[in-house]
Amino acid sequence: MNCRLDVPYGPSADETLDIFPAREAGSPLVVYIHGGAWTRGHKDNDSYQAPAFVDAGAAFVSVNFGLVPAVSLDTLVAQCRAAVKWAYENAARFGADSNRLFVAGHSSGGHVAVMLAVHDWAGDGGLPGDIVKGVFAASGMYDLEPVRLSSRNAYLALDNAAARRNSPVHQIGKTMPPMVIAHGGGEHEEFRRQSADFARLLEQRGHDCQSLVLG
């Protein structure tokens, strides 16, 4: 495929992304955040998704970032915000429309994708508040208090404040982009519960949210 690999968007060696341009100018842009429990995974393992998006008429960007515990969860999320900002500012260079930017992610990437949607873009760098036009999040965690109380906190090292500021359930704004919150029917009970509860909370607050259960 036509692609541009290992494009830097930040100062560290981990802050790179792969671009699979759209075939037509002005196409939608999908920025993808990989999963891996915040501790593993790499953009190079997610190029296989690009053909489906490009064939559907979109540009696809696979993001790499630092992993816990080498970086904190706050830093990981901040790097992904920087990647979205870079994609927004450079979209026209690879045939995409910056005003049609969508974010997707799976597992821990689903958590980060929603964190990107709830972020105050207008108050952080003067970008449009609605930079993210929609989100697809699969199998994510949206309340990190149970995570803080689990064995995973041995490497996440979240205190109460860090768990709260990185929990989308506590960051829902008055306006939110449309979201698809998905999970697998055979997943661990906590993943199913978190997805169902978060989707229900969005709907109760009047936001456009579709809950999708696969299998």
Side-chain angles (χ1 to χ4, degrees), residues 122-179:
D124 180 18
L127 294 173
D130 63 346
I131 182 175
V132 176
K133 295 301 190 292
V135 174
F136 180 89
S139 308
M141 288 282 183
Y142 310 108
D143 180 359
L144 297 196
E145 180 61 12
V147 179
R148 186 184 72 82
L149 297 174
S150 77
S151 61
R152 291 190 177 190
N153 210 42
Y155 58 78
L156 283 169
L158 299 172
D159 58 18
N160 289 331
R164 186 175 182 87
R165 67 175 171 265
N166 284 291
S167 293
V169 294
H170 299 304
Q171 315 299 333
I172 298 173
K174 292 182 179 180
T175 60
M176 294 283 288
M179 292 193 186

Side-chain angles (χ1 to χ4, degrees), residues 3-91:
C3 59
R4 306 172 193 173
L5 305 180
D6 301 318
V7 178
Y9 67 84
S12 75
D14 291 321
E15 293 171 85
T16 60
L17 47 81
D18 291 346
I19 302 168
F20 296 84
R23 296 194 177 109
E24 296 184 7
S27 295
L29 167 60
V30 176
V31 178
Y32 182 79
I33 312 298
H34 72 74
W38 302 284
T39 66
R40 57 188 182 273
H42 197 280
K43 67 171 177 59
D44 291 0
N45 299 325
D46 287 285
S47 296
Y48 73 90
Q49 303 182 42
F53 287 95
V54 174
D55 289 346
F60 181 79
V61 170
S62 185
V63 179
N64 204 62
F65 43 85
L67 299 173
V68 175
V71 301
S72 68
L73 184 57
D74 287 312
T75 297
L76 186 158
V77 173
Q79 289 181 354
C80 291
R81 287 199 302 266
V84 169
K85 181 177 185 291
W86 187 97
Y88 174 82
E89 293 175 342
N90 292 274

